[in-house]
Amino acid sequence: SLLKKGYDHEDVHYNLGNSYYRLNQIGKAILHYEKSIKINPQHQDAAYNLKIANLKVASKITPIADFIFIKWWKSLSSIFLFNTWANISIAWVWLALCGLATYLFVKSISIKKLGFYSAILCLFFALLSYILGYSNKSNIQSSDYAIVLINTYNAKSEPTEKGKELFALKEGMKVKQLDIVGKWVQISLSDGNKGWVEQSILAYI
């Protein structure tokens, strides 16, 4: 009822996840833990309970490892939320302006050089902070991921009932949407497998 009233808060989803977990509805539990973390990536209780819930997913897959730079970038961008990154970026801009003022108004050559290079460095960090914040916001607002809510479903090779069965999906598995054709959705798993499923079996994070 809180969600229907527009109160889309991280703790509402966290508590819903706990309730569904106790009811052994693992798919819905994982869905709401994911929603809680989507709103607040620093929600440690939701992240911990998500790990516990994922242990109950019947089918285990081995994800393709990210390149070290991509993994590092994702970890770095998730340290703060977008608003915090924006404030950090603004702080670096102010420091850059102070450096520029030093360059323009101080007569000492050595201090002018220090002010100039400090301004350049601060602008670089301001831009980096903004990009990290934008990356964090994009990840949070992405609606491409969904959770499987039914016990078992066989992904198809094409968006029809006649498609060849490729692999089995289990309740609670997380998938990424690639394409939509009518009631069919092309999805991919973290191990790289792709297939078509009916949209009705999914709930979007």
Side-chain angles (χ1 to χ4, degrees):
S1 63
L2 287 171
L3 291 176
K4 289 179 180 178
K5 292 177 182 178
Y7 194 70
D8 191 32
H9 192 272
E10 62 203 64
D11 288 332
V12 175
H13 289 291
Y14 170 67
N15 288 320
L16 267 175
N18 290 339
S19 299
Y20 281 123
Y21 184 84
R22 291 188 180 96
L23 293 170
N24 203 34
Q25 297 184 38
I26 302 303
K28 290 183 178 180
I30 289 174
L31 172 68
H32 286 285
Y33 289 142
E34 289 277 8
K35 283 179 177 285
S36 178
I37 295 169
K38 184 176 181 179
I39 295 171
N40 178 13
Q42 306 303 319
H43 201 304
Q44 295 182 357
D45 290 335
Y48 177 79
N49 285 6
L50 176 61
K51 290 181 181 179
I52 299 299
N54 276 323
L55 293 176
K56 287 200 169 188
V57 177
S59 180
K60 306 299 180 183
I61 55 177
T62 303
I64 298 174
D66 288 329
F67 289 112
I68 187 65
F69 175 77
I70 295 175
K71 187 176 181 180
W72 172 81
W73 181 264
K74 288 180 178 179
S75 298
L76 183 60
S77 67
S78 65
I79 292 176
F80 302 116
L81 296 177
F82 171 74
N83 290 342
T84 303
W85 279 119
N87 290 331
I88 293 173
S89 181
I90 291 171
W92 281 117
V93 170
W94 276 108
L95 289 174
L97 290 174
C98 290
L100 181 62
T102 301
Y103 172 74
L104 293 175
F105 300 111
V106 174
K107 294 182 178 180
S108 171
I109 298 299
S110 59
I111 296 179
K112 285 173 76 73
K113 286 183 177 180
L114 179 63
F116 176 79
Y117 290 116
S118 296
I120 296 297
L121 187 62
C122 288
L123 284 175
F124 169 77
F125 283 118
L127 180 61
L128 179 62
S129 299
Y130 177 81
I131 294 172
L132 286 167
Y134 183 81
S135 176
N136 174 268
K137 185 177 182 179
S138 297
N139 289 333
I140 290 175
Q141 292 182 343
S142 173
S143 59
D144 293 336
Y145 289 91
I147 303 298
V148 178
L149 292 186
I150 67 171
N151 187 40
T152 304
Y153 187 93
N154 292 312
K156 309 286 187 180
S157 60
E158 56 185 85
T160 66
E161 294 288 354
K162 297 179 181 180
K164 179 183 176 182
E165 295 182 353
L166 299 178
F167 52 86
L169 295 170
K170 300 293 184 179
E171 182 183 4
M173 292 179 69
K174 185 177 181 180
V175 301
K176 183 177 183 180
Q177 175 183 293
L178 301 177
D179 196 8
I180 298 179
V181 176
K183 68 174 184 177
W184 294 88
V185 178
Q186 186 184 36
I187 57 95
S188 68
L189 302 179
S190 57
D191 62 0
N193 280 328
K194 298 177 182 179
W196 291 89
V197 302
E198 293 179 86
Q199 194 170 28
S200 59
I201 76 162
L202 305 174
Y204 289 90
I205 298 171

